[in-house]
């Protein structure tokens, strides 16, 4: 046998009177509430399985969310908006009408306007929702993962739901305004037949694939339907504004870089093909309206000129007819050189006046009379009219024949010049309108990513684990707040003033033995017999020493072991304490005085019959009741038949006689009694024993419960000598107290 180095266990050192007090502790230290990191670590270790389970459940919930959440895809495209639109280089005279500075911020708003998005909704019929009816929560996820060509067979015989492979397409779906946004159900039938019902399952319409159907303002044209008979589809005709708002919510535009003129257009949704087609349609609608807007001024001017041409043609014809008639009536009239000069000047002035007047009329379509450009033209017209008045005075000095010929010739020349000018301008504007290309062009057509942008599985898993940890920590904190229990033997000494004779650490071996015994997989084994080196047994050996001091002032050699409630381990302490006392050479008997639920006979593999109740009732002698065990010097006295009146039986004088006779036969009599707060049996037995020890279990009792148990025994005349603190988690105490929680013990190894 070799003496090895002492092994540490979590058992507090003995204080004055047998109590446990940490070295160097003081009353001031006891009153202080100090935060210890070790306490936190110990608590986390105690509830580690709770943390693991809650976190695992949260992670499982996150996995379920990623499974049932519909993937969201994102498509993008690029547009370039040029600073100015460029017309044909040959139309330099019309360039001021066609040029206009472009604002990118304005184009961003136009892209998101109802004008553009409304055209997209109308063209792609985005206000019509037609999709299969899936099983709640998980049905769509299951259908999404189906890869077959034909519709999937229904699960759980739920044929009304779609399980994968179903398709429907509506070429037309119109409803009255009162039914916009109302959910309807289309049920597939045999041979392409279908029936449309409302939310109350009333049939609204019936038809066949490929043929239009209408009734009471509802028009439906199903162009494609691939589904099992009985499969349901959800149909909704939303209002145009609702569809535009839904599209705008999934749609976004931004300028790639400041002042770059490059606009990025993005769209998110569940269907990749629909995202691409919708984005491309948005681009096409925007480019079309951009070109239309850029050619709008030329179109407006052209309309004005085309309205003036017939009138000018009539004026020209009338002027030519009048001039020809005059010459025929008066003969040929030749204009002098002076008259020719006046004529040329008057024609030029008249042409300028008419041209400016036309320009003024065009400007007045856009500006008021006070606009600077209109005022400038009015000023020019006024000067030209003054010039024309001077020329008319010169004409007045000519002979009458020359005056008339000059006036008629002037009308012909002016009308001819204006008419030809308007024809040229109109032709130029037609060419300009046809050649307008707009300020925007598509750089990249719509492209949709192969992988979804949501849900982000990695982020969901991380968040799930984090939430699981937080939830478990919050639950632990709530348990700690609501569960005010004794976990430190020093608290018993401080609040009750009673010593803790021994602190029994938690024994995994004992837990395994008890579990196997309850399941019937093994016979009962005493820890002190089969595992004498266990730390719990070693702590009971330290209790063996203190029992001598507990019985010094008593003439009785019996010890009552009880507890405040059930499940504290009093029977475990009683039987194993009896073993260690017997191993030390003491003659020991363990008496099971729990005449209600006593079970010590099971641990020793003995029958219950022939015990305390049989002796008290006078049926047998004590020599017939004592049963020896495999452990030398240790005997057991069972409960006997469980009586209907255990308290009255224990109050009988023969029970006291039984204890006195046992004390004369054995060195130590250990009496295992029922819990104090449950019944009065322990108080009755305690009056006949030499000392009373209470077993308290770590993390099981509030201090008030122990205080109430001690008080109840004191009221019955039973003084509690001290406590045995059972099932202490030594690992937790190491974290909680550090070196203060350690004592030394010796073990021997072969």
């Amino acid at each position: 046998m070799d003496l090895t180095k002492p092994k540490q266990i979590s058992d507090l050192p003995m204080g004055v009177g047998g109590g446990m007090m940490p070295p160097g502790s003081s009353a001031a230290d006891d009153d202080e509430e100090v935060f210890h990191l070790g306490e936190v670590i110990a608590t986390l270790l105690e509830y580690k399985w709770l943390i693991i389970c809650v976190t695992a459940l949260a992670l499982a919930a996150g996995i379920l969310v990623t499974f049932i959440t519909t993937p969201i895809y994102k498509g993008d495209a690029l547009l370039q908006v040029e600073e100015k639109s460029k017309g044909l280089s040959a139309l330099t005279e019309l360039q001021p009408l066609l040029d206009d500075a472009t604002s990118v911020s304005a184009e961003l708003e136009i892209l998101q306007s109802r004008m553009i998005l409304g055209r997209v909704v109308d063209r792609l019929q985005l206000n019509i929702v037609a999709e299969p009816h899936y099983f709640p929560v998980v049905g769509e996820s299951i259908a999404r993962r189906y890869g077959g060509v034909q519709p999937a067979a229904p699960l759980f015989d739920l044929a009304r739901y779609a399980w994968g492979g179903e398709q429907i397409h509506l070429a037309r779906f119109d409803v009255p305004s009162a039914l916009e946004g109302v959910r309807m159900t289309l049920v597939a039938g045999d041979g392409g037949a279908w029936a449309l019902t409302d939310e109350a399952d009333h049939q609204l319409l019936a038809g066949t694939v490929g043929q239009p159907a209408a009734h009471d303002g509802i028009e439906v044209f199903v162009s494609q339907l691939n589904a099992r008979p009985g499969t349901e589809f959800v149909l909704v005709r939303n209002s145009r504004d609702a569809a535009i708002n839904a599209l705008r919510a999934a749609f976004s535009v931004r300028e790639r870089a400041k002042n770059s003129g490059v606009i990025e257009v993005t769209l998110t949704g569940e269907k990749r093909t629909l995202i691409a087609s919708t984005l491309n349609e948005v681009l096409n609608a925007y480019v079309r309206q951009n070109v239309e807007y850029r050619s709008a001024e030329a179109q407006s001017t052209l309309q004005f000129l085309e309205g003036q041409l017939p009138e000018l043609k009539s004026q020209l014809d009338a002027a030519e007819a009048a001039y020809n008639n005059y010459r025929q009536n008066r003969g040929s009239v030749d204009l002098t050189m002076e008259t020719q000069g006046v004529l040329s000047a008057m024609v030029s002035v008249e042409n300028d006046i008419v041209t400016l007047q036309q320009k003024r009329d065009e400007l007045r379509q856009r500006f008021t009379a006070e606009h600077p450009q209109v005022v400038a033209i009015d000023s020019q017209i006024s000067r030209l009219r003054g010039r024309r008045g001077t020329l008319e005075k010169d004409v007045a000095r000519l002979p009458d024949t020359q005056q008339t010929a000059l006036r008629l010739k002037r009308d012909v020349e002016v009308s001819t010049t204006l008419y030809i000018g308007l024809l040229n301008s109109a032709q130029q504007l037609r060419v300009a309108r046809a050649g307008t290309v707009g300020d925007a062009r598509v750089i990249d057509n719509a492209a949709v990513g192969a992988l979804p942008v949501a849900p982000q599985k990695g982020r969901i898993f991380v968040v799930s684990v984090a939430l699981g940890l937080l939830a478990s920590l919050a639950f632990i904190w709530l348990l700690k707040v609501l569960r005010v229990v004794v976990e430190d033997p020093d608290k018993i000494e401080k609040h009750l003033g009673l010593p803790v004779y021994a602190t029994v650490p938690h024994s995994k071996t004992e837990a395994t033995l008890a579990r196997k015994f309850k399941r019937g997989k093994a016979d009962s084994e005493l820890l002190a017999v089969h595992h004498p080196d266990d730390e719990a047994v070693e702590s009971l050996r330290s209790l063996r020493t203190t029992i001598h001091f507990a019985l010094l002032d008593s003439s009785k050699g019996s010890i009552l072991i009880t507890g405040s409630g059930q499940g504290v381990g009093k029977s475990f302490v009683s039987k194993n304490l009896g073993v260690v006392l017997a191993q030390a050479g003491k003659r020991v008997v363990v008496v099971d005085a729990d005449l209600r639920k006593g079970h010590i006979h099971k641990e020793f593999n003995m029958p219950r019959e022939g015990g305390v109740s049989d002796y008290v009732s006078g049926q047998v002698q004590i020599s017939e009741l004592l049963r020896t065990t495999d452990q030398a010097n240790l005997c057991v006295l069972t409960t006997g038949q469980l009586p209907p009146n255990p308290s009255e039986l224990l109050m009988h004088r023969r029970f006291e006689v039984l204890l006195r006779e046992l004390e004369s036969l054995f060195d130590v009599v250990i009496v295992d009694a029922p819990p104090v707060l449950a019944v009065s049996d322990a108080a009755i037995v305690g009056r006949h024993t030499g000392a009373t020890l209470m077993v308290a279990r770590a993390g099981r009792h509030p201090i008030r419960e122990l205080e109430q148990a001690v008080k109840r025994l004191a009221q019955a005349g039973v003084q509690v000598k001290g406590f045995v603190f059972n099932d202490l988690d030594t690992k937790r105490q190491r974290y909680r107290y550090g070196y203060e929680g350690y004592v030394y013990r010796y073990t021997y190894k072969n």
Side-chain angles (χ1 to χ4, degrees):
M1 305 288 285
D2 296 328
L3 183 63
T4 63
K5 187 176 181 178
K7 180 181 179 182
Q8 297 175 327
I9 64 170
S10 174
D11 195 3
L12 295 175
M14 298 294 294
V16 179
M20 300 299 200
M21 294 291 290
S25 63
S26 63
D29 296 335
D30 293 340
D31 295 333
E32 291 182 357
E33 295 291 340
V34 183
F35 172 80
H36 293 287
L37 179 60
E39 174 70 15
V40 176
I41 297 175
T43 302
L44 295 179
L45 289 176
E46 179 183 4
Y47 293 99
K48 61 180 179 295
W49 289 112
L50 173 63
I51 296 174
I52 293 173
C53 291
V54 173
T55 305
L57 287 176
L59 180 59
I63 295 174
L64 179 61
V65 167
T66 59
F67 176 79
I68 65 177
T69 302
T70 303
I72 303 298
Y73 296 90
K74 180 179 180 181
D76 58 65
L78 288 182
L79 279 170
Q80 182 184 16
V81 179
E82 297 179 354
E83 182 179 355
K84 289 181 180 292
S85 63
K86 303 299 182 181
L88 295 178
S89 59
L91 305 178
T92 55
E93 295 181 357
L94 296 176
Q95 196 66 41
L97 294 176
L98 303 177
D99 282 352
D100 189 17
T102 302
S103 171
V104 174
S105 59
E107 301 305 315
L108 296 179
E109 296 300 325
I110 292 174
L111 275 166
Q112 301 177 84
S113 66
R114 283 195 296 269
M115 176 182 65
I116 300 299
L117 300 184
R119 294 179 182 180
V120 176
V121 169
D122 295 339
R123 184 172 180 82
L124 299 181
Q125 294 184 327
L126 298 182
N127 56 336
I128 297 178
V129 177
E131 57 187 20
H133 184 199
Y134 298 109
F135 185 79
V137 183
V138 298
E140 185 176 357
S141 300
I142 296 174
R144 189 168 57 248
R145 289 166 173 80
Y146 177 73
V149 178
Q150 297 299 322
L155 299 179
F156 316 113
D157 293 330
L158 298 174
R160 60 178 294 201
Y161 297 108
W163 297 100
E166 296 81 6
Q167 292 181 349
I168 186 173
H169 182 265
L170 300 182
R172 185 179 181 85
F173 181 41
D174 293 330
V175 298
S177 58
L179 295 179
E180 288 185 344
V182 176
R183 175 191 173 109
M184 303 179 188
T185 302
L186 186 145
V187 182
D190 295 322
W194 53 265
L196 185 66
T197 62
D198 59 11
E199 294 179 324
D201 290 334
H202 296 149
Q203 182 169 317
L204 303 175
L205 192 63
T208 306
V209 176
Q211 297 180 3
H215 181 69
D216 289 341
I218 302 176
E219 298 182 18
V220 180
F221 187 170
V222 181
S223 59
Q224 181 183 3
L225 180 62
N226 183 22
R228 291 173 286 97
T231 304
E232 297 180 353
F233 293 84
V234 177
L235 270 60
V236 179
R237 168 80 183 204
N238 293 314
S239 65
R240 188 172 186 269
D241 288 341
I244 292 174
N245 292 333
L247 177 58
R248 184 183 287 126
F251 183 73
S252 64
V253 293
R254 69 181 182 91
E255 189 175 11
R256 269 289 185 89
K258 189 175 182 180
N259 299 325
S260 65
V262 177
I263 298 176
E264 182 183 29
V265 184
T266 60
L267 180 66
T268 57
E270 300 175 1
K271 301 177 181 178
R272 298 180 69 247
T273 55
L274 183 59
I275 293 174
S277 59
T278 303
L279 264 183
N280 285 328
E281 187 59 34
V282 168
L283 299 180
N284 294 334
Y286 171 73
V287 171
R288 282 197 303 269
Q289 72 81 31
N290 185 268
V291 173
E292 292 170 358
Y293 173 74
R294 297 309 167 194
S295 62
E297 291 188 13
Q299 178 65 25
S300 176
T301 304
L302 180 60
Q303 290 177 354
F304 174 77
L305 294 181
E306 289 178 344
Q308 295 292 320
L309 283 173
E311 182 179 354
L312 285 177
K313 185 66 168 61
S314 298
Q315 293 177 2
L316 175 59
D317 293 342
E320 289 179 345
Y323 181 64
N324 291 333
N325 289 334
Y326 180 78
R327 294 186 65 183
Q328 289 176 1
N329 295 331
R330 295 300 182 100
S332 177
V333 179
D334 295 329
L335 300 178
T336 63
M337 293 297 294
E338 180 183 0
T339 304
Q340 289 285 357
V342 174
L343 175 61
S344 298
M346 292 188 69
V347 170
S348 176
V349 170
E350 288 292 342
N351 286 336
D352 291 342
I353 291 175
V354 173
T355 301
L356 289 175
Q357 187 64 45
Q358 291 176 349
K359 187 173 182 181
R360 184 183 186 280
D361 292 341
E362 182 183 350
L363 290 175
R364 287 289 284 118
Q365 294 180 7
R366 295 184 296 167
F367 308 115
T368 63
E370 290 77 16
H371 193 274
Q373 295 185 26
V374 178
V375 172
I377 290 177
D378 289 341
S379 177
Q380 295 178 29
I381 293 174
S382 178
R383 289 196 300 271
L384 290 174
R385 285 175 178 173
R387 172 64 175 162
R388 184 177 63 182
T390 303
L391 293 174
E392 288 178 348
K393 291 179 180 179
D394 294 340
V395 173
R397 291 193 294 267
L398 295 174
D400 293 341
T401 303
Q402 291 291 321
Q403 289 184 28
T404 303
L406 176 61
R407 179 175 56 80
L408 295 175
K409 183 65 174 178
R410 180 197 62 185
D411 293 342
V412 173
E413 293 289 339
V414 170
S415 298
T416 301
T417 303
L418 290 176
Y419 183 71
I420 293 174
L422 286 180
L423 281 177
N424 291 335
S425 298
Q427 186 60 31
Q428 288 180 345
L429 286 172
R430 291 189 185 96
V431 176
R433 184 185 62 177
T436 302
V437 294
D439 297 332
R441 66 188 181 95
V442 178
I443 299 176
D444 290 335
N445 287 318
V448 183
L451 298 178
V453 295
Q456 298 181 359
K457 296 183 179 180
R459 179 176 297 180
I460 290 178
F461 295 158
V462 171
V463 172
S464 299
V465 171
L467 290 178
L469 289 174
L470 291 176
S472 61
L473 294 178
F475 185 66
I476 292 171
W477 176 82
L478 186 63
L479 287 178
K480 297 295 291 184
V481 170
L482 299 179
R483 183 182 167 211
V484 185
V485 294
V486 179
E487 296 180 349
D488 180 7
D490 181 61
K491 190 174 183 179
I492 296 177
E493 296 184 342
K494 181 173 65 175
H495 288 274
L496 301 181
L498 294 173
V500 177
Y501 286 131
T503 301
V504 182
H506 173 75
S507 174
K508 293 183 179 180
T509 305
E510 172 63 19
T512 302
L513 294 176
R515 187 164 51 250
K516 289 182 178 180
F517 178 69
K518 288 182 179 180
R519 295 176 179 176
K521 296 182 178 181
D523 295 334
S524 176
E525 297 182 8
L526 291 176
L527 185 67
V529 175
H530 297 88
H531 303 277
D533 293 334
D534 192 88
E535 293 180 354
V537 177
E538 187 63 29
S539 65
L540 292 176
R541 292 192 180 99
S542 66
L543 177 62
R544 179 180 61 190
T545 305
T546 61
I547 287 179
H548 171 74
F549 298 100
L551 296 175
L552 280 178
D553 299 333
S554 177
S555 59
K556 304 172 184 177
S558 55
I559 298 176
L560 171 66
I561 296 180
T562 184
S564 60
Q566 296 182 357
V568 298
K570 57 183 182 58
S571 298
F572 164 78
V573 173
S574 299
K575 62 189 180 183
N576 285 281
L577 177 61
V579 172
V580 298
L581 286 170
Q583 289 173 346
K586 300 287 186 179
R587 293 174 299 161
V588 184
V589 60
V590 177
V591 180
D592 191 352
D594 187 354
L595 303 184
R596 301 172 188 270
K597 296 182 179 180
H599 55 80
I600 288 182
H601 64 282
K602 295 181 180 179
E603 278 79 354
F604 288 95
N605 298 317
M606 298 177 180
R608 181 190 295 275
E609 292 73 12
V612 175
S613 62
D614 299 304
Y615 179 83
V616 175
S617 61
Q619 299 178 7
V620 291
Q621 298 298 318
I622 191 171
S623 59
E624 302 176 20
L625 302 177
L626 292 175
R627 294 186 174 88
T628 59
T629 64
D630 295 337
Q631 176 63 46
N633 299 325
L634 178 63
C635 292
V636 174
L637 184 58
T638 63
T639 61
Q641 293 291 338
L642 297 180
N645 53 346
S647 297
E648 290 76 4
L649 202 64
L650 293 174
M651 293 176 65
H652 198 281
R653 185 177 179 279
R654 284 183 61 83
F655 180 74
E656 182 180 0
V657 173
L658 172 64
L659 293 180
R660 299 291 83 81
E661 291 188 18
L662 291 175
E663 289 172 354
S664 65
L665 296 175
F666 297 91
D667 297 325
V668 180
V669 178
I670 299 176
V671 182
D672 182 16
V676 176
L677 299 179
V679 292
S680 60
D681 298 6
I684 298 172
V685 176
R687 290 198 295 265
H688 306 306
T689 57
T692 299
L693 298 180
M694 285 194 64
V695 178
R697 190 168 183 174
R700 181 63 64 88
H701 321 275
I703 192 66
R704 290 297 183 89
E705 179 182 320
L706 299 178
E707 183 180 4
Q708 184 66 23
V710 173
K711 183 178 180 180
R712 182 168 296 186
L713 289 175
Q715 291 173 347
V718 179
Q719 180 182 4
V720 177
K721 288 291 185 178
F723 279 82
V724 176
F725 199 70
N726 187 31
D727 202 29
L728 182 68
D729 189 346
T730 56
K731 291 183 178 179
R732 183 175 183 185
Q733 297 306 311
R734 288 191 182 99
Y735 284 108
R736 178 185 292 174
Y737 299 109
Y739 72 90
E740 294 182 0
Y742 289 76
V743 296
Y744 292 92
R745 74 177 179 88
Y746 289 94
T747 58
Y748 293 88
K749 296 182 180 180
N750 293 325

